[in-house]
Amino acid sequence: QVQLVESGGGFVQAGGSLKLACQYSGRTFASMTMGWFRQAPGKEREFVAGITTFRVSTFYADSIQGRSTISKDKDQNTVYLQIDNLKPEDSAVYYCAAATGASTARSVRDRRIYTSWGRGTQVTVSS
């Protein structure tokens, strides 16, 4: 059974940075595509970033492209999301998710293909 535990959220001023972490346990980490999603109050959960197993391709939402980095540490079974130059509109609960078989830009962005989810970590950015 796959378990995901997020950490690293918090309260930060606009322009600041955060590094979120997702500790993974269960099925072989190396075989999983990992994604980060976020959900603000009253809004749908949206894709933020994803990293695949093969060729370790990375994908980002347009809203965070250029100021975010997703990475994997296979030795620590952890996936990270670094976000720089944070904006108030980045405020949300950030969720980590795991999937198998997703490798295209379209599939990695589709939350329906993710079968395991963490409980989320809150990020609040003040203006």
Side-chain angles (χ1 to χ4, degrees):
Q1 185 178 358
V2 172
Q3 289 187 326
L4 304 170
V5 179
E6 303 95 335
S7 62
F11 187 89
V12 63
Q13 289 188 333
S17 299
L18 280 177
K19 189 171 186 177
L20 307 181
C22 173
Q23 181 71 46
Y24 172 100
S25 61
R27 189 173 176 174
T28 305
F29 182 61
S31 69
M32 307 302 288
T33 287
M34 302 299 295
W36 284 96
F37 291 75
R38 67 186 183 188
Q39 188 168 18
K43 296 188 177 181
E44 290 191 356
R45 191 169 299 188
E46 64 176 5
F47 171 80
V48 177
I51 186 167
T52 63
T53 56
F54 303 109
R55 302 180 183 175
V56 197
S57 299
T58 57
F59 303 92
Y60 299 93
D62 290 343
S63 60
I64 212 162
Q65 179 79 44
R67 55 188 184 93
S68 179
T69 304
I70 186 171
S71 60
K72 266 183 171 181
D73 185 333
K74 295 179 180 179
D75 293 333
Q76 298 296 324
N77 280 7
T78 302
V79 61
Y80 300 98
L81 180 67
Q82 171 83 31
I83 312 173
D84 300 316
N85 190 23
L86 281 158
K87 305 174 182 181
E89 51 264 42
D90 292 322
S91 297
V93 177
Y94 282 71
Y95 297 91
C96 175
T100 56
S103 61
T104 67
R106 183 174 182 176
S107 62
V108 171
R109 287 177 166 85
D110 187 350
R111 65 182 183 184
R112 295 172 296 180
I113 63 98
Y114 291 86
T115 54
S116 300
W117 293 82
R119 300 183 70 175
T121 184
Q122 176 71 49
V123 172
T124 303
V125 184
S126 65
S127 57

